[in-house]
Amino acid sequence: MKKAKKSEGPKKWVVRTLAIDIGGTGVKAIVLDDTGHPITERGRIKTPRPATPQAILDTIDELAKGQGACDRVSVGFPGVIRKGVTSTAPNLDPSWKGFDLVHHLQQRLGKPVRAANDADVQGFGAIRGEGVELVVTLGTGFGSALFVDGRLVPNLEIAHHPFRSTKTYEQELGDVVLKKIGKKKWNTRLEFAIQSLEALFNYDRLYIGGGNARKVTLELPENVTLISNMAGLLGGIAFWKIDGSRSPKRPSHTR
Ligand code: BGC
């Protein structure tokens, strides 16, 4: 008698999210599975200069090809973005003002696209979803994101706010100045920035991410955590988790 074949059940369909992080120095991409775990090798291409919308879209196209098939796309953008339209981009080309990034990318890639500020996305990849959580990212620019019980306060821009004398947080702690003043002095400034942010926000936890987080050598207070730069890509799954106990709510300013 023939042995009955063991049923393997239906094959699980994995929804592939292409997560893109547009940075002032590099544009990065990875594919995430339904649970937000990476399933491809991260791709990175140097940010083209001038970093016009056209040049960045070409770069994303190239990265997308290298990542294989995807069902939907998440983008972190280094500036203020509302309903898919960019309004500021201090470290890219001025022509980004009023550019419908989501619409153009959707046309190029033929997939649904959602986008938010890069630090906001990075925050979704790091937060616990409880209390007041502040995220700052240290890279070309100074990113910031604020969450209350997992809900995002979109487009918080600490970067261009006065920090010391007439200089802003980005002018005092951005990549250009780090290279100029060196790690030691930069860490002293960062310590002062942490104190002033704590006095301002009274956060329960502060997360520090971005490419230069690895240059942080100061002793951090107990409620401050360093996070990996990968959070900027991993947070891209948050846009598609509309409900779910521990998952953040879909930010209303994205689409
Ligand atoms: C921008 C922010 C951005 C940060 C990091 C700043 O210059 O104003 O929106 O999050 O750079 O890219």
Side-chain angles (χ1 to χ4, degrees), residues 22-24 77-80 88-91 117-120 137 139-144 155-157 159-160 170:
I22 305 174
F77 179 78
V80 173
T88 65
N91 298 301
N117 171 266
D118 56 354
D120 291 353
T137 65
T140 313
F142 185 99
S144 52
N155 292 314
L156 175 76
E157 286 281 312
H160 314 291
E170 185 156 305

Side-chain angles (χ1 to χ4, degrees), residues 35-105:
T35 61
H37 285 104
I39 46 177
T40 56
E41 280 280 312
R42 189 193 79 147
R44 183 185 188 277
I45 296 181
K46 239 176 114 190
T47 306
R49 292 289 163 189
T52 57
Q54 201 58 34
I56 296 280
L57 289 182
D58 290 346
T59 306
I60 293 177
D61 239 352
E62 204 181 320
L63 280 165
K65 280 186 191 117
Q67 292 290 316
C70 76
D71 303 294
R72 57 196 190 186
V73 184
S74 296
V75 186
F77 179 78
V80 173
I81 174 163
R82 288 185 197 88
K83 294 189 163 49
V85 180
T86 61
S87 64
T88 65
N91 298 301
L92 302 178
D93 193 75
S95 54
W96 278 94
K97 195 167 169 41
F99 183 74
D100 196 337
L101 172 62
V102 163
H103 171 76
H104 283 91
L105 208 50

Side-chain angles (χ1 to χ4, degrees), residues 63-200:
L63 280 165
K65 280 186 191 117
Q67 292 290 316
C70 76
D71 303 294
R72 57 196 190 186
V73 184
S74 296
V75 186
F77 179 78
V80 173
I81 174 163
R82 288 185 197 88
K83 294 189 163 49
V85 180
T86 61
S87 64
T88 65
N91 298 301
L92 302 178
D93 193 75
S95 54
W96 278 94
K97 195 167 169 41
F99 183 74
D100 196 337
L101 172 62
V102 163
H103 171 76
H104 283 91
L105 208 50
Q106 239 154 223
Q107 280 201 327
R108 283 238 185 175
L109 303 178
K111 303 285 172 197
V113 176
R114 289 181 184 168
N117 171 266
D118 56 354
D120 291 353
V121 177
Q122 175 121 198
F124 279 120
I127 57 157
R128 298 174 187 179
E130 282 163 23
V132 176
E133 296 177 280
L134 181 68
V135 181
V136 300
T137 65
L138 306 169
T140 313
F142 185 99
S144 52
L146 183 64
F147 297 84
V148 183
D149 291 333
R151 248 180 198 281
L152 173 70
V153 178
N155 292 314
L156 175 76
E157 286 281 312
I158 296 176
H160 314 291
H161 199 71
F163 170 46
R164 291 192 326 164
S165 64
T166 55
K167 298 269 179 68
T168 65
Y169 279 82
E170 185 156 305
Q171 285 167 336
E172 289 285 83
L173 287 159
D175 200 41
V176 174
V177 80
L178 166 62
K179 288 190 178 119
K180 208 164 110 194
I181 64 172
K183 241 167 57 175
K184 200 164 166 231
K185 222 167 164 190
W186 181 81
N187 268 274
T188 310
R189 278 188 195 177
L190 181 61
E191 189 166 21
F192 182 62
I194 293 173
Q195 285 161 8
S196 84
L197 292 174
E198 176 154 40
L200 179 62

Side-chain angles (χ1 to χ4, degrees), residues 22-43:
I22 305 174
T25 315
V27 184
K28 289 141 259 164
I30 207 163
V31 174
L32 309 173
D33 69 10
D34 319 58
T35 61
H37 285 104
I39 46 177
T40 56
E41 280 280 312
R42 189 193 79 147

